[in-house]
Amino acid sequence: MYNVVVCDDDKAILDSIKIYLKAEGYNVLTAADGEECLEVIRNNEVHCLILDIMMPKMDGLTATMTIREHYNFPIILLSAKSEDTDKISGLSFGADDYVTKPFNPLELVARVKSQIRRYATLGSMDINTTTIVTGGLTLDTDKKEVTVDGNPVRLTAREYSILEYLMKNMGRVLNSSQIYEAVWQEPSFSPEKTVTVHIRNIREKIEINPREPKYLKVVWGLGYKVEKY
């Protein structure tokens, strides 16, 4: 049974999400603010987190940053704000998905399923070896670990999925739509901003100089590729 943490200071929303998730067989843990959420996470194995942005004591973005220092399970942010800048901010802070209030609970459950499925099965694509290497960059599809020159790199579940997809297609230029559809597993309508944010985050973590990347490169006007060495 997978554990899903739901954190929202609105008890009605909290109870509603809990009902729908429990109906799908998930074990649901709840919290009313960011500080309580961190305490729940410290004391339980977590497979997915649904986290409201606007909360007392500690807001969702601050909580996300704190969580990402230690954990890489999927995080779905909830917010009443629907502007692209708010979504990009959420993704930049380490979230894997963003849902705008009001939302359809069934859609939220579907997103939880998708996130947990990827988190639980990352690296399950058919490949002869569990380790993919280019230069000093190594990705282990069994352990879900990434290292650069032997030093561990902490990626979010979404960032790992993108890097894994690019490394399994090493040397091939992939555009934003291809990356989005492969990783998000849903049709892409305007994926450029979302993919760009995640690519930038990955670069910050794996490149010595993100402005002059060695591994993850942009082919202007075409897409992205991981260089083969």
Side-chain angles (χ1 to χ4, degrees):
M1 182 179 289
Y2 292 114
N3 294 329
V4 179
V5 177
V6 183
C7 182
D8 197 307
D9 60 328
D10 187 323
K11 189 175 185 304
I13 292 177
L14 200 68
D15 291 342
S16 175
I17 295 174
K18 183 176 181 179
I19 289 170
Y20 278 92
L21 289 173
K22 287 180 71 68
E24 293 296 324
Y26 294 111
N27 182 44
V28 182
L29 306 169
T30 61
D33 58 66
E35 291 183 358
E36 185 178 346
C37 178
L38 294 179
E39 187 64 25
V40 171
I41 290 170
R42 292 189 193 103
N43 293 303
N44 297 274
E45 181 179 8
V46 177
H47 302 101
C48 187
L49 168 64
I50 300 171
L51 181 63
D52 185 35
I53 290 181
M54 301 299 294
M55 293 186 298
K57 295 186 180 179
M58 179 185 291
D59 64 83
L61 295 180
T62 302
T64 297
M65 286 194 299
T66 303
I67 291 165
R68 282 293 176 241
E69 293 176 1
H70 305 284
Y71 306 96
N72 70 341
F73 52 73
I75 298 176
I76 301 174
L77 290 179
L78 302 179
S79 177
K81 297 181 179 180
S82 60
E83 290 82 0
D84 284 344
T85 52
D86 297 307
K87 295 180 181 180
I88 291 171
S89 295
L91 296 173
S92 298
F93 277 63
D96 296 280
D97 205 350
Y98 187 106
V99 176
T100 303
K101 295 179 179 179
F103 54 85
N104 184 329
L106 294 177
E107 179 187 351
L108 180 60
V109 171
R111 289 175 182 265
V112 169
K113 287 182 179 179
S114 177
Q115 291 292 339
I116 290 180
R117 182 170 62 248
R118 276 192 288 270
Y119 182 58
T121 62
L122 285 175
S124 63
M125 291 174 63
D126 186 22
I127 193 167
N128 291 329
T129 177
T130 64
T131 303
I132 309 173
V133 181
T134 177
L137 176 63
T138 300
L139 183 145
D140 189 316
T141 60
D142 267 0
K143 297 180 180 178
K144 318 298 187 295
E145 293 177 349
V146 175
T147 60
V148 176
D149 298 327
N151 299 310
V153 177
R154 186 176 293 278
L155 300 176
T156 68
R158 187 79 78 187
E159 290 165 0
Y160 178 93
S161 297
I162 292 172
L163 183 59
E164 180 191 45
Y165 179 61
L166 288 168
M167 291 186 72
K168 285 183 174 179
N169 291 276
M170 202 177 304
R172 178 184 172 193
V173 178
L174 299 165
N175 61 38
S176 296
S177 293
Q178 289 173 305
I179 295 171
Y180 189 94
E181 290 177 5
V183 173
W184 275 258
Q185 296 182 4
E186 61 187 27
S188 63
F189 298 101
S190 182
E192 288 78 12
K193 289 183 179 179
T194 299
V195 172
T196 297
V197 169
H198 283 88
I199 292 290
R200 183 170 65 240
N201 291 343
I202 296 169
R203 272 181 163 176
E204 291 290 338
K205 296 177 181 181
I206 69 171
E207 302 285 0
I208 295 175
N209 182 1
R211 294 182 179 275
E212 297 181 7
K214 176 181 179 181
Y215 301 110
L216 183 46
K217 297 190 175 183
V218 175
V219 181
W220 295 108
L222 296 176
Y224 306 93
K225 69 173 181 177
V226 168
E227 199 70 72
K228 188 173 184 178
Y229 292 98

